[in-house]
Amino acid sequence: TKKIRTISVSSGKTISCGCLASEVLEKRNFVHGFSRSKFYHTWTNMMSRCYNPKSKRYINYGKRGIEVCKEWHNLETFIEWATLTYIDNLTLDRIDVDGNYEPSNCRWTNITTQNQNSQKIRSNNKSGYRGVSLHKKARKWRVTININKKQIHLGFFDDAKSGAEAYDKYIMDNKLEHTT
């Protein structure tokens, strides 16, 4: 209930109690209705990494030529795919880190798998191999792998390549989803 002067109503200056303004504003701001979807932010972040040069992550995605398939440019299509494939508490990951975002190259994984399925090797890594680093005291190449926030020591090796081979063998023997 709202008190309004009769003259304001009869002159047309006031046409509602205030509800109409809320309705008009809601209709004006309504774009697609998916902003509350749990996949909306996944989609906007994916699109930004690939197409927005101002995004901090663009250099590792769009600048490298990583794209989003045409079907997924449509938010609704992406949400349909995500709804059918999503597994609780996992995040979107590209199987081939050099491949595009598309249904055949995407899956839902945990952070450990995503970190291991990365093109990045730490900048301070002198070996050039994932998980292989020079141990100064032992004067050998130390090989470790992180699984579920636990570091596993795989041994010391005389050369980096042997260490890398041991790392890859561990991944394959234990059927880990991992970049070798």
Side-chain angles (χ1 to χ4, degrees):
T1 308
K2 185 172 184 175
K3 288 184 180 182
I4 300 172
R5 300 177 116 209
T6 310
I7 189 130
S8 295
V9 176
S10 61
S11 69
K13 186 177 180 182
T14 302
I15 55 173
S16 89
C17 64
C19 297
L20 185 62
S22 296
E23 288 175 24
V24 169
L25 187 62
E26 188 176 315
K27 283 180 184 174
R28 187 178 343 136
N29 291 333
F30 185 83
V31 177
H32 45 64
F34 293 115
S35 61
R36 287 195 173 100
S37 164
K38 63 180 156 189
F39 305 116
Y40 177 72
H41 291 291
T42 301
W43 182 82
T44 57
N45 290 336
M46 171 181 68
M47 296 300 284
S48 180
R49 286 190 295 267
C50 293
Y51 300 109
N52 182 1
K54 292 181 181 179
S55 167
K56 289 179 182 178
R57 312 237 7 242
Y58 178 80
I59 193 167
N60 296 317
Y61 293 84
K63 192 166 184 175
R64 284 185 43 230
I66 306 299
E67 296 181 342
V68 177
C69 68
K70 284 192 179 195
E71 304 87 67
W72 284 3
H73 280 246
N74 179 307
L75 172 59
E76 190 171 356
T77 304
F78 174 76
I79 289 176
E80 285 173 15
W81 174 85
T83 302
L84 292 172
T85 59
Y86 181 70
I87 301 167
D88 284 339
N89 302 317
L90 300 182
T91 56
L92 187 65
D93 180 47
R94 286 172 300 118
I95 298 163
D96 173 5
V97 296
D98 294 318
N100 292 329
Y101 283 99
E102 54 192 36
S104 63
N105 192 40
C106 288
R107 62 185 173 185
W108 300 99
T109 62
N110 60 34
I111 291 298
T112 299
T113 301
Q114 279 205 10
N115 289 339
Q116 292 167 341
N117 184 30
S118 162
Q119 70 156 150
K120 277 188 174 180
I121 293 178
R122 289 188 172 183
S123 60
N124 63 349
N125 182 325
K126 305 277 190 269
S127 72
Y129 298 105
R130 185 181 309 279
V132 180
S133 59
L134 186 60
H135 191 277
K136 289 181 181 177
K137 284 186 182 178
R139 293 188 185 161
K140 291 195 177 225
W141 294 96
R142 181 177 186 228
V143 181
T144 59
I145 188 168
N146 293 312
I147 299 173
N148 297 327
K149 298 181 183 176
K150 258 184 140 175
Q151 188 175 71
I152 299 169
H153 175 74
L154 301 179
F156 289 102
F157 297 84
D158 291 328
D159 60 277
K161 187 174 182 196
S162 297
E165 288 167 354
Y167 181 92
D168 291 349
K169 183 178 180 336
Y170 185 88
I171 291 166
M172 290 176 207
D173 288 350
N174 291 282
K175 296 180 175 85
L176 299 174
E177 292 184 32
H178 213 281
T179 301
T180 56

